[in-house]
Amino acid sequence: MPVLHTLRRAAAVLLLAAATLYAAPARPAAADEPGWTAEPATGAAATAVRPYFYLAGAPGTVLEDRLTLANTTDQERTITLRGADAYNTADGAFAVRPATPGAGATGATGATGATGATGATGATGAGSWISFGAATTVKVPPRTRAVVPFTLTVPPASPPGDHPAAVIATEGGRQVGVRVHLRVGGPTLAALTVEDVAVRGRGAAAVIAYTLVNRGNVALTPELRIRAEALVGELSDPPRGRTLPIELLPGRRVELTEPWPGAPALDRVRVTLTVTAPGGARAVATGSRWLVPWGPAGWTAGGLLGLGATTAAALYLVRRRRPEPGPAPAPDEPSAAGPTPPAPHHELTGAAR
């Protein structure tokens, strides 16, 4: 009985602890949470959040927009702002150029130089056209928002088309980037090429590798179609096309791969890639390869293929070296002196002549 009573008391304590934990309020946010955000400002009547800045104008114009910095913590935040050039990484991801060492302002409300200066931000393209004036460093009080205006000055000689950039907000070791889609007025061209198509790997690890190059002046969202052919057998699981999850910026080159787990183990394959994009961009390229498995089976198959190729070559050479039959001999022609008299016939009777 004492043991049973002790077990009941232990169970009651555990139930009370579980109820206390369930009813306890949520713990405050951890200290390593960001605590501040940066996003495009919205108007008083706007309800949707803008995911990025979209600006358009002719060469020589000055465009304006606003950035919202929200501090959700109980301490003041000091945030540095700059413009940056954007580009595609080798695998197609969107990235921005880093700032040069020592960029940014040292004062509370001012800057050591204009944000548009190349030496301060490391930008040489559209990122260098962005200026926050005297607000390159902003102090945001606790639990408040700060709306920071900025300008983007399009140089008079700017070429038409898309010029990717970004607004970068930095505090300590944390950076937040907001994309800037800038379209400079003038003729636009959507064009691309597909290069270096190749089949790599074997079996389930096989991939189709290729390179896309944006030859136009506008950003592209490519769509890929794949056609595969085999020399000997049928393709039970041909590769499929898709809309690529990248935005190919003007003048950029990216190297991509498409998985092909159903590639044949032993065959010669030929793949044709067709890439299209809005605006009329279209490109086609092909690549081929012998797929031969490794190991004893692969060596046996390779030997059989080599033996077959050698036999076919030998038969071809034998046929080429065999002498061709000459013309049939002409029938005997009659002599010019007339017909030849028949030879005398002697009857052998045994009698002497």
Side-chain angles (χ1 to χ4, degrees):
M1 294 296 294
V3 175
L4 182 59
H5 180 69
T6 303
L7 291 176
R8 288 178 177 176
R9 289 188 60 184
V13 171
L14 291 175
L15 289 175
L16 179 61
T20 303
L21 290 175
Y22 181 79
R27 298 181 61 184
D32 58 351
E33 292 184 0
W36 60 274
T37 60
E39 59 187 17
T42 57
T47 57
V49 177
R50 293 189 295 167
Y52 52 79
F53 296 105
Y54 183 82
L55 302 172
T61 59
V62 178
L63 307 173
E64 298 180 351
D65 213 315
R66 300 181 303 161
L67 175 72
T68 296
L69 300 174
N71 183 0
T72 59
T73 66
D74 295 327
Q75 60 181 352
E76 184 180 68
R77 299 286 184 175
T78 301
I79 302 173
T80 302
L81 304 175
R82 67 180 177 93
D85 297 335
Y87 67 101
N88 285 121
T89 60
D91 59 355
F94 184 90
V96 296
R97 303 290 181 189
T100 54
T106 57
T109 59
T112 58
T115 304
T118 301
T121 66
T124 59
S128 65
W129 306 345
I130 298 174
S131 175
F132 288 92
T136 53
T137 297
V138 180
K139 288 187 176 295
V140 185
R143 305 292 177 180
T144 60
R145 291 174 176 265
V147 178
V148 185
F150 67 90
T151 60
L152 190 152
T153 303
V154 183
S158 300
D162 293 341
H163 296 262
V167 169
I168 305 299
T170 306
E171 189 216 25
R174 178 173 181 255
Q175 290 190 359
V176 175
V178 182
R179 296 182 60 172
V180 177
H181 289 253
L182 171 64
R183 172 69 62 88
V184 177
T188 58
L189 173 64
L192 57 81
T193 57
V194 187
E195 304 173 1
D196 306 327
V197 179
V199 179
R200 300 174 183 169
R202 293 174 177 82
V207 297
I208 301 173
Y210 59 100
T211 300
L212 290 183
V213 185
N214 188 337
R215 304 289 184 180
N217 62 355
V218 294
L220 301 175
T221 303
E223 183 174 348
L224 173 67
R225 288 181 296 169
I226 305 175
R227 186 183 66 189
E229 301 170 301
L231 178 63
V232 180
E234 294 289 337
L235 295 177
S236 59
D237 187 13
R240 297 177 176 87
R242 59 171 179 153
T243 300
L244 300 178
I246 66 169
E247 183 179 6
L248 188 57
L249 303 178
R252 305 306 305 180
R253 171 189 296 266
V254 297
E255 299 176 357
L256 306 174
T257 58
E258 298 298 319
W260 190 11
L266 176 62
D267 210 329
R268 180 173 176 82
V269 295
R270 176 185 176 90
V271 294
T272 302
L273 305 187
T274 302
V275 182
T276 58
R282 186 177 186 274
V284 180
T286 61
S288 59
R289 181 193 172 191
W290 273 106
L291 295 177
V292 179
W294 292 111
W299 290 112
T300 302
L304 292 176
L305 288 175
L307 180 61
T310 302
T311 304
L315 291 175
Y316 177 74
L317 292 177
V318 168
R319 289 184 177 181
R320 290 199 60 182
R321 292 182 178 179
R322 180 182 298 173
E324 298 181 359
D332 295 338
E333 298 181 359
S335 174
T340 303
H345 179 71
H346 300 279
E347 182 179 356
L348 301 178
T349 60
R353 290 184 180 273

